[in-house]
């Protein structure tokens, strides 16, 4: 199985526990999803290049660092990925946001694309795909295949919970894409839901069940 970057920071793990809890309502679920996305984004952007600039502090001249002008785009997979966008933008407000709409058909459990709108200059951008759940990997694989057709500079995939099955499938289909997650769970059930997981992320974010 390709090696995911698992974010075991105590703040992320603490928030993830309440995200999983069946008693957590939609409002709190949305807040937690957004907060976790912010914390994860901090780590997922650790390798952004820096460049030196000259500034003047109150004490005199200094050579200091700024981001080296690389542009970012976040691409949430609808619907549940929307829950991670605001949190990611907290850290990188200048990032562009594309959207890919996929839903899993229950039978067979395959993703069906219903929307795709990406930034026009995506070929100049580093893309971080956002989706709380990586289950079979079908949605992530399809979304990344779509994005690759527009030749972005690079692609990362950031989810909150990954299943081993999805990681394996995504790694086979897109071995160049680094996966960031907060937890690697045990397995999928017979309906392709993650165990122990958190249930249906889209329904819990939008209160549709
Ligand atoms: C969920 C989730 C992922 C997908 C993961 O979305 O947000 O996109 O399932 O499953 P997979 O790895 O097996 O493809 P869903 O299709 O339920 O749509 P929603 O976000 O609109 O609820
Ligand atoms: N999508 C979800 O929202 N939850 C799962 O457990 C699997 C796919």
């Amino acid at each position: 199985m390709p090696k995911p970057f698992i974010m075991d920071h105590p703040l992320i793990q603490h928030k993830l526990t309440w995200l999983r809890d069946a008693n957590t309502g939609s409002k709190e679920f949305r807040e937690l999803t957004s907060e976790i996305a912010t914390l994860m984004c901090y780590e997922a952007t650790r390798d952004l290049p820096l460049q030196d600039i000259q500034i003047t502090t109150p004490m005199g001249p200094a050579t200091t660092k700024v981001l080296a002008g690389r542009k970012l785009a976040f691409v949430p997979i609808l619907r549940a990925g929307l829950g991670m966008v605001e949190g990611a933008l907290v850290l990188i407000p200048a990032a562009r946001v594309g959207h890919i709409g996929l839903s899993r058909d229950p039978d067979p459990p395959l993703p069906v694309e219903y929307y795709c709108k990406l930034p026009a200059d995506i070929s100049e951008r580093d893309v971080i795909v956002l989706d709380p759940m990586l289950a079979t990997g079908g949605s992530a694989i399809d979304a990344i295949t779509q994005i690759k057709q527009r030749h972005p500079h690079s692609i990362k995939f950031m989810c909150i919970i990954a299943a081993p099955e999805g990681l394996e499938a995504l790694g086979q289909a897109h071995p160049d894409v680094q996966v960031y997650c907060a937890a690697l769970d045990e397995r999928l059930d017979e309906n392709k839901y993650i165990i122990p997981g958190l249930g249906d992320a889209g329904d819990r974010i939008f209160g549709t069940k």
Side-chain angles (χ1 to χ4, degrees):
M1 192 195 316
K3 209 168 162 8
F5 191 108
I6 301 176
M7 302 196 185
D8 57 0
H9 192 287
L11 289 176
I12 296 178
Q13 294 303 313
H14 176 86
K15 291 175 190 295
L16 178 56
T17 292
W18 301 119
L19 198 68
R20 290 184 189 275
D21 192 316
N23 292 316
T24 299
S26 278
K27 175 178 178 288
E28 203 187 343
F29 192 94
R30 275 196 296 275
E31 290 166 358
L32 287 163
T33 302
S34 191
E35 288 165 11
I36 291 171
T38 303
L39 293 168
M40 292 186 76
C41 193
Y42 176 77
E43 196 57 47
T45 51
R46 180 175 282 282
D47 60 354
L48 283 179
L50 293 169
Q51 69 185 42
D52 286 340
I53 61 162
Q54 312 298 321
I55 60 161
T56 307
T57 79
M59 309 308 290
T63 304
T64 55
K65 297 191 184 301
V66 290
L67 291 171
R70 285 264 282 281
K71 299 179 187 171
L72 273 169
F74 295 116
V75 179
I77 301 177
L78 308 181
R79 291 176 301 167
L82 284 176
M84 299 174 76
V85 174
E86 287 304 320
L89 286 172
V90 165
L91 290 191
I92 312 186
R96 297 284 161 84
V97 181
H99 296 87
I100 293 189
L102 293 171
S103 66
R104 299 197 311 170
D105 254 1
D107 195 15
L110 293 173
V112 178
E113 185 183 319
Y114 59 86
Y115 189 76
C116 181
K117 182 85 179 171
L118 299 171
D121 62 353
I122 199 166
S123 62
E124 299 164 23
R125 292 183 181 266
D126 295 310
V127 171
I128 302 182
V129 180
L130 305 173
D131 192 330
M133 310 303 276
L134 178 69
T136 64
S139 304
I141 290 168
D142 270 30
I144 291 168
T145 300
Q146 285 290 330
I147 296 166
K148 278 189 174 172
Q149 287 169 8
R150 308 275 291 275
H151 307 292
H153 190 263
S154 71
I155 304 180
K156 293 172 179 174
F157 182 77
M158 199 167 97
C159 60
I160 297 179
I161 301 181
E165 294 89 334
L167 265 184
E168 186 64 46
L170 182 53
Q172 293 283 339
H174 298 296
D176 53 314
V177 173
Q178 176 65 52
V179 175
Y180 296 84
C181 62
L184 175 55
D185 274 11
E186 287 164 23
R187 62 183 171 87
L188 299 180
D189 72 4
E190 59 283 5
N191 297 314
K192 308 298 182 195
Y193 275 82
I194 299 176
I195 303 296
L198 49 70
D200 189 302
D203 282 340
R204 293 197 66 187
I205 288 171
F206 296 108
T208 40
K209 214 170 225 170

